[in-house]
Amino acid sequence: MSKFWSEAARRCKPYVPGEQINRTDIIKLNTNENPYPPSPKVIQEIQRETDRKLNLYPSPTADKLREDIASFYQLSKENIFVGNGSDEILAFSFVAFFDTDKKIRYPAISYSFYPVYADLFGIPAEEVPLHEDFTLPVKDFFQAEGGVIFPNPNAPTSVYLGLDSVKEILESNPDQIVIVDEAYIDFAEASATSLINTYENLLVIQTMSKSRSLAGLRVGFAMGQPELIEGLVRIKDSFNSYTLDRLAIAGAEAAIRDVDYFKDTTNKIIMTREWTVSEMKKRGYSVLPSQTNFIFATHPDQRADRLYANLKENGILVRHFKSKPIENYIRITIGTDEQMQKLLRTLDSLTASS
Ligand SMILES: *Cc1c(COP(=O)(O)O)cnc(C)c1O
């Protein structure tokens, strides 16, 4: 605390990201990064871009990247907004679409950046408790006063909500925006992007950090009808014209175009996930039905905080949240087959020694 801090700096409660440890002997399964490198074409394009033009500002509108994303989803460039990670787009969305005198709604167990942004921008919020099985209570999101935001699949639970339910939420909020944070959608059944042309109140936010192995490059995108995209552009241009640098734009273009590589790595992770879940269940863990690149697991006779600490001591980093009612769960990112085998061996050795 300093006397020079503004009221906002004093008041805010910053988000705490998962630990970033750069030791190569640690198996890092705590922040849902992709265990595979990005497409080789991404590296090539970034390399090519470094060889020229770094003296010049990047395109403030990133038109080519937006066209590439649009064609992946059969949308048009006017439906696409790009940003420095989806976290930045979430922040812009709170300013562009939520008001300080109307309560927004998000799930009580959800991405912990939402309350941070709500606080920072002075937006009142109602946290909606999940059902006991961690599914979303769809009707509790009907007729929100000031808009709705939720991840689908949800984080950190990994649970997916079907598009019929997403439609119900959209239809019961005709005058409010509904923001669907699809950070993990590529590991799930179906994206709400197919609903964009039907619902003017739908904004879908995705990221290249998980399924496209680019957490280090910081690229996210939002999709919606052009009026919504314009709202985001107004906020962005009141903040920073060049949120994406040249290397990020070049790498992201290559990533979205290399569909084969994306499908290969995504399918591999889904297969590893299904195998890991069945192995965990054999060992007595309950695992929520995951449609993400992580699993959320609990064991009837092992405390999650101890499990987290014991795994860490054995060189495996997972995520544990201390808050109720998820204090007895651990969240495990799906790594390579070898990494998951090591995880299971370690879990076995821990049970044997306890
Ligand atoms: C990882 C994640 C994000 C942030 O993604 P970035 O694009 O890396 O900022 C947003 N929402 C959820 C739910 C996430 O898990």
Side-chain angles (χ1 to χ4, degrees), residues 85-87 90 111 151 155 181 183-184 207 209-210 218:
S86 57
D87 284 340
L90 288 166
Y111 189 36
D181 178 355
Y184 301 101
T207 176
S209 297
K210 278 98 186 204
R218 312 304 304 130

Side-chain angles (χ1 to χ4, degrees), residues 2 43-44 107 189 277 286 331:
S2 150
I43 315 299
Q44 260 169 38
E189 201 177 291
V277 169
S286 313
R331 192 191 71 184

Side-chain angles (χ1 to χ4, degrees), residues 303-305 320-329:
R303 286 183 41 177
D305 54 351
H320 173 247
F321 299 88
K322 292 192 183 74
S323 57
K324 281 192 185 298
I326 55 170
E327 79 281 7
N328 214 26
Y329 281 78

Side-chain angles (χ1 to χ4, degrees), residues 32 107-111 130-136 151-161 184 273 286-297 321 325-326 329-332:
N32 300 340
I109 307 292
S110 188
Y111 189 36
L130 296 180
H131 286 137
E132 215 161 293
D133 64 356
F134 296 105
T135 54
L136 212 75
N152 195 29
N154 197 6
T157 63
S158 78
V159 176
Y160 173 75
L161 181 72
Y184 301 101
R273 175 187 77 200
S286 313
V287 185
L288 295 189
S290 170
Q291 295 213 21
T292 59
N293 68 338
F294 61 87
I295 56 176
F296 207 50
F321 299 88
I326 55 170
Y329 281 78
I330 52 170
R331 192 191 71 184
I332 307 168

Side-chain angles (χ1 to χ4, degrees), residues 82-93 117 236 239-240 243:
V82 291
N84 191 266
S86 57
D87 284 340
E88 181 189 72
I89 302 179
L90 288 166
F92 289 168
S93 299
Y117 291 135
K236 184 208 88 162
F239 173 77
N240 177 0
T243 51

